[in-house]
Amino acid sequence: MVKPLIKYAVDALGNKIGALPQSFNDLRKGATIRIDNPQFLDVRTGETYVERKIRENNEFKKRYPGNPIGTVGGITGFADNIKLSPQELIDIKGHAGEEKYRMTSPQLERLKESIANEGYRKADEGGERILIHVREDGVPFITEGNHRMVEAFQSNRPFISADIRYLRGAENVDGPLNPKRIGIDFGEE
């Protein structure tokens, strides 16, 4: 009997950092999301929690245009320490337009130099976690860690760890990081 060949990812220093997954969703086996979405109606407005947070966010965006997310108030889903392939994230925009410069910025070069000198911190855990916010229409934005994500992509790392915050009911909307689409368990519903 022939044993299957297991491919391992290797970090910048040549250390094996884990087996490559069969599919991206294999990275998230056992991952869960915590939902905090009160279902009651507000006695004053008659709105659900999500409806009120969407209205308040729309009001905020009118006062402060140009912010693609609006406020980060109204988080209804929390998914922590989620392993994602950098390939899944490379086309996700940065919260402040970082996608325009993150592939070639001096900050990215300093990060690569730091990794070359000091190693990739927490490599077996997917590095230091990045932060992603998913808007109520299902559109995700990398709010922290754009350069770490690009470095992971350019270095062919098998995964990077992220905390995902679903805003204003986004966990129930289709999009690239919809929990069911990427294999995150809702647990006991």
Side-chain angles (χ1 to χ4, degrees):
M1 178 172 182
V2 178
K3 290 185 177 182
L5 177 64
I6 298 175
K7 295 179 185 177
Y8 285 91
V10 178
D11 72 8
L13 300 176
N15 301 312
K16 287 183 181 179
I17 57 175
L20 294 172
Q22 294 295 318
S23 79
F24 292 150
N25 282 6
D26 287 348
L27 290 170
R28 272 103 43 196
K29 283 194 175 164
T32 59
I33 183 170
R34 181 174 58 87
I35 304 298
D36 185 10
N37 186 353
Q39 297 301 308
F40 57 85
L41 296 179
D42 186 292
V43 271
R44 292 174 295 163
T45 67
E47 299 168 301
T48 65
Y49 177 79
V50 168
E51 290 168 339
R52 181 170 57 91
K53 289 299 181 181
I54 289 173
R55 178 182 50 77
E56 291 170 353
N57 189 54
N58 288 336
E59 292 167 0
F60 175 87
K61 289 193 309 189
K62 282 180 185 172
R63 285 192 311 272
Y64 306 100
N67 183 328
I69 295 176
T71 77
V72 293
I75 297 173
T76 53
F78 299 81
D80 292 326
N81 200 18
I82 303 300
K83 291 176 176 60
L84 295 156
S85 166
Q87 295 171 11
E88 294 174 281
L89 301 175
I90 196 65
D91 292 326
I92 292 178
K93 292 182 178 183
H95 173 250
E98 292 92 344
E99 70 280 358
K100 296 173 190 142
Y101 58 84
R102 67 185 176 199
M103 298 294 279
T104 57
S105 74
Q107 220 175 333
L108 177 61
E109 294 310 311
R110 285 191 297 274
L111 175 62
K112 288 179 176 181
E113 189 176 305
S114 170
I115 291 170
N117 292 333
E118 301 170 26
Y120 189 66
R121 292 186 204 132
K122 302 181 181 180
D124 58 336
E125 299 172 27
E128 294 177 8
R129 293 186 211 166
I130 66 172
L131 179 61
I132 301 170
H133 282 89
V134 181
R135 205 169 54 190
E136 63 269 15
D137 60 359
V139 176
F141 293 88
I142 298 174
T143 51
E144 294 291 333
N146 278 276
H147 293 97
R148 284 176 274 157
M149 182 278 298
V150 169
E151 189 285 328
F153 177 80
Q154 290 179 350
S155 298
N156 293 315
R157 296 190 190 284
F159 65 92
I160 188 166
S161 293
D163 292 336
I164 305 173
R165 300 295 176 254
Y166 295 90
L167 301 172
R168 302 174 288 273
E171 67 277 3
N172 295 313
V173 177
D174 194 22
L177 296 182
N178 172 278
K180 290 181 181 174
R181 176 183 283 218
I182 63 171
I184 298 175
D185 187 9
F186 275 79
E188 308 268 333
E189 290 192 68

